[in-house]
Amino acid sequence: MKCRACRSKAIIDIPRHNAAFCGTCFDAYLIEQVRKSIEEYQMFSQEDRVLLAVSGGKDSLALWDILERLGYRTIGYHLDLGIDEYSVESTEKTVRFARERNLTLHVEEIAREAGGSVVDISKVTRRPPCSACGVSKRHLFNRAAKTYGCTVLATGHNLDDEASRLLGNILHWQDGYLEKQNPSLPEDEGLIRKVKPLNRLTEKEMATYSFMKGIDYVIRECPMSFDAKQLFYKKVMNEIEKESPGTKQAFYFGFLQRRERFYPETGDKSPPPYICQVCEEPSYSEICSFCRLRLKVTAPPGDESLSRPRTTS
Amino acid sequence: MSHPETDTPQDEPVPNETELKISVYHAQSGIRAHYTYRRKVSSLLRDLNLDPETVLVIQNNALLTADERLDPLMEVEIRPVISGGSEMSDGRRDR
Ligand code: SF4
Ligand SMILES: [Zn+2]
Ligand SMILES: [Zn+2]
């Protein structure tokens, strides 16, 4: 297989663009895709301070590398989820990545901030681990962005993440989520602007970039992800893509083009009616989801007001 | 795991070398295993029931595309690219 641009030996085949690239041309293609997303969706400028949520996986570490190359001002933030060896490895690799490149990184532990690991929270709250993890991440990422004076929060979600999420949201007609499925969510009532600069690139492209750049990332899966529906939706999307290359991208970007028509901005932002009594962030109830979760996890045994019994069965 | 009978005519098992095996390292599980050698990357992936879009195939520290030849004497790394999990929503209402 030859590079479409320079005819030397290709290292990656990109069926949806009917293209293949050598290492050098692939690098130029990938950087251009990220640059295009940042500009087209007005994600941030050179003046912004970008808080980057880094998990230790290929996407977020590669994104950090790319944003640095493009000359943006970044600060890394890693949340240690306390999921055994997986989290130990994730934290180690993230810290090493930052140290080797002399980048600013802040690490927090969910056990310290929420009173327990993702597994503990999941048990106490009887929520699936990914839901407990999601509530904590949203709260702590947002808090970190404010703490470190950042104007925008960037995550490493890629095209596969976004297309599979879109499929799931459409299958269940999750209007509230569809309305917000935007690679550049503006700042909104105490929640910082949130952007996804990798939304044009697939998992394979991000893994290829990480390999080429010698980025040492966590290859194994989060052990909690086995029950995640998103993996199933990804499989379904990949099956469709195999038969009809380009469908994934057309599906996702077709939605983005129609999003405003389907879900017009009403101008009525309906801000959250409460200020959380514990953390003083805007909230939809007197105590926000994160603080409720934290109170349950840290409640003394026997306190049934917020906590449920820790041991069942 | 290896199924010579499902192979396509373009890449029949190599004559007189049907016993030739190739060592494969599955990077996500950390498992090493041996499979019937195929000349082409795409044939090995078909044997393993893997979609080329979901894995990197690495041999001798280089990435291989699906149409390339495998060296039977070197280990091949299969590195899945799919990351799992993550909550489905952006959950702005869920604070
Ligand atoms: S798979 Fe679930 S628990 Fe693991 S990091 Fe992702 S959201 Fe969190
Ligand atoms: Zn080239
Ligand atoms: Zn709160």
Side-chain angles (χ1 to χ4, degrees):
Chain A
M1 205 172 283
K2 296 224 181 303
C3 172
R4 186 176 76 177
C6 74
R7 312 303 302 158
S8 53
K9 185 185 147 340
I11 56 142
I12 183 169
D13 174 27
I14 307 182
R16 76 180 186 292
H17 293 314
N18 196 16
F21 290 119
C22 70
T24 311
C25 298
F26 173 67
D27 184 73
Y29 152 84
L30 186 134
I31 293 286
E32 176 56 21
Q33 296 298 307
V34 177
R35 208 192 47 72
K36 202 168 157 185
S37 274
I38 294 172
E39 270 178 22
E40 186 174 335
Y41 299 104
Q42 298 173 352
M43 291 183 175
F44 43 79
S45 71
Q46 306 281 350
E47 277 67 57
D48 280 299
R49 266 162 87 97
V50 183
L51 187 86
L52 185 61
V54 266
S55 65
K58 66 185 190 311
D59 302 301
S60 52
L61 291 181
L63 177 58
W64 205 356
D65 180 88
I66 295 163
L67 294 184
E68 283 294 314
R69 284 179 64 188
L70 290 172
Y72 290 105
R73 300 199 296 166
T74 62
I75 292 181
Y77 175 79
H78 174 76
L79 184 63
D80 184 326
L81 302 173
I83 307 174
D84 306 327
E85 278 304 300
Y86 170 76
S87 291
V88 173
E89 188 188 350
S90 303
T91 305
E92 265 172 21
K93 294 204 161 162
T94 307
V95 169
R96 197 179 314 131
F97 178 93
R99 199 185 305 129
E100 283 171 1
R101 290 161 179 81
N102 213 6
L103 302 171
T104 308
L105 171 71
H106 298 282
V107 179
E108 285 186 333
E109 289 173 31
I110 201 167
R112 258 185 88 105
E113 306 307 321
S117 71
V118 163
V119 184
D120 299 332
I121 301 171
S122 163
K123 275 188 196 146
V124 175
T125 59
R126 294 186 191 164
R127 297 172 82 135
C130 293
S131 153
C133 181
V135 169
S136 309
K137 280 180 182 168
R138 272 191 295 279
H139 183 90
L140 296 170
F141 288 175
N142 203 57
R143 187 182 78 182
K146 286 184 187 169
T147 306
Y148 303 118
C150 295
T151 35
V152 56
L153 166 67
T155 58
H157 292 94
N158 57 45
L159 175 60
D160 290 85
D161 295 324
E162 292 305 288
S164 58
R165 178 197 302 250
L166 176 62
L167 179 64
N169 284 340
I170 288 182
L171 288 175
H172 299 285
W173 290 117
Q174 297 274 15
D175 286 320
Y177 296 153
L178 286 165
E179 191 183 336
K180 305 280 185 201
Q181 185 157 5
N182 182 341
S184 184
L185 268 177
E187 183 183 351
D188 180 15
E189 294 298 329
L191 278 181
I192 192 149
R193 181 149 43 107
K194 199 170 156 190
V195 299
K196 298 171 180 173
L198 300 182
N199 72 330
R200 285 176 193 283
L201 295 157
T202 61
E203 311 245 37
K204 171 118 183 200
E205 290 162 315
M206 294 319 299
T208 299
Y209 181 83
S210 296
F211 177 83
M212 270 178 26
K213 294 287 166 191
I215 296 173
D216 182 19
Y217 64 90
V218 184
I219 295 173
R220 64 169 135 172
E221 280 292 318
C222 170
M224 299 296 124
S225 67
F226 66 92
D227 65 346
K229 274 214 183 77
Q230 200 186 3
L231 274 179
F232 172 67
Y233 295 137
K234 276 186 180 174
K235 265 190 210 143
V236 172
M237 291 270 21
N238 282 335
E239 284 298 314
I240 299 173
E241 185 72 15
K242 212 160 46 180
E243 291 303 317
S244 174
T247 306
K248 200 185 280 175
Q249 178 151 348
F251 173 60
Y252 171 65
F253 285 97
F255 170 76
L256 291 187
Q257 281 159 12
R258 289 162 179 80
R259 194 183 58 85
E260 279 190 31
R261 182 144 49 87
F262 293 160
Y263 299 100
E265 292 284 345
T266 51
D268 139 43
K269 285 233 166 163
S270 57
Y274 298 95
I275 293 292
C276 171
Q277 290 177 3
V278 183
C279 69
E280 300 184 348
E281 291 290 331
S283 169
Y284 285 89
S285 49
E286 287 183 355
I287 301 178
C288 77
S289 317
F290 177 75
C291 290
R292 262 183 287 143
L293 169 157
R294 192 162 64 89
L295 289 169
K296 276 184 195 166
V297 177
T298 54
D303 181 350
E304 297 295 312
S305 59
L306 279 155
S307 175
R308 290 197 178 110
R310 277 160 201 256
T311 42
T312 48
S313 78
Chain B
M1 280 295 278
S2 190
H3 306 287
E5 66 280 8
T6 62
D7 212 13
T8 60
Q10 299 102 298
D11 191 20
E12 297 284 356
V14 182
N16 303 324
E17 285 177 336
T18 44
E19 291 312 299
L20 193 55
K21 299 272 182 184
I22 189 162
S23 168
V24 174
Y25 174 62
H26 295 275
Q28 203 158 67
S29 58
I31 292 170
R32 285 197 155 77
H34 288 83
Y35 302 98
T36 302
Y37 171 65
R38 304 287 173 187
R39 285 199 192 98
K40 271 173 78 179
V41 170
S42 56
S43 304
L44 175 69
L45 293 179
R46 204 179 311 119
D47 282 357
L48 299 176
N49 199 17
L50 289 170
D51 174 352
E53 279 305 291
T54 65
V55 289
L56 297 186
V57 179
I58 303 161
Q59 198 175 40
N60 196 15
N61 206 28
L63 290 171
L64 298 183
T65 51
D67 62 327
E68 280 186 86
R69 270 185 95 123
L70 290 163
D71 178 346
L73 303 178
M74 293 195 92
E75 185 171 80
V76 193
E77 177 182 338
I78 304 270
R79 188 187 290 190
V81 301
I82 308 273
S83 47
S86 104
E87 73 283 17
M88 291 299 289
S89 73
D90 269 316
R92 285 240 153 156
R93 296 165 310 156
D94 184 21
R95 283 190 265 190

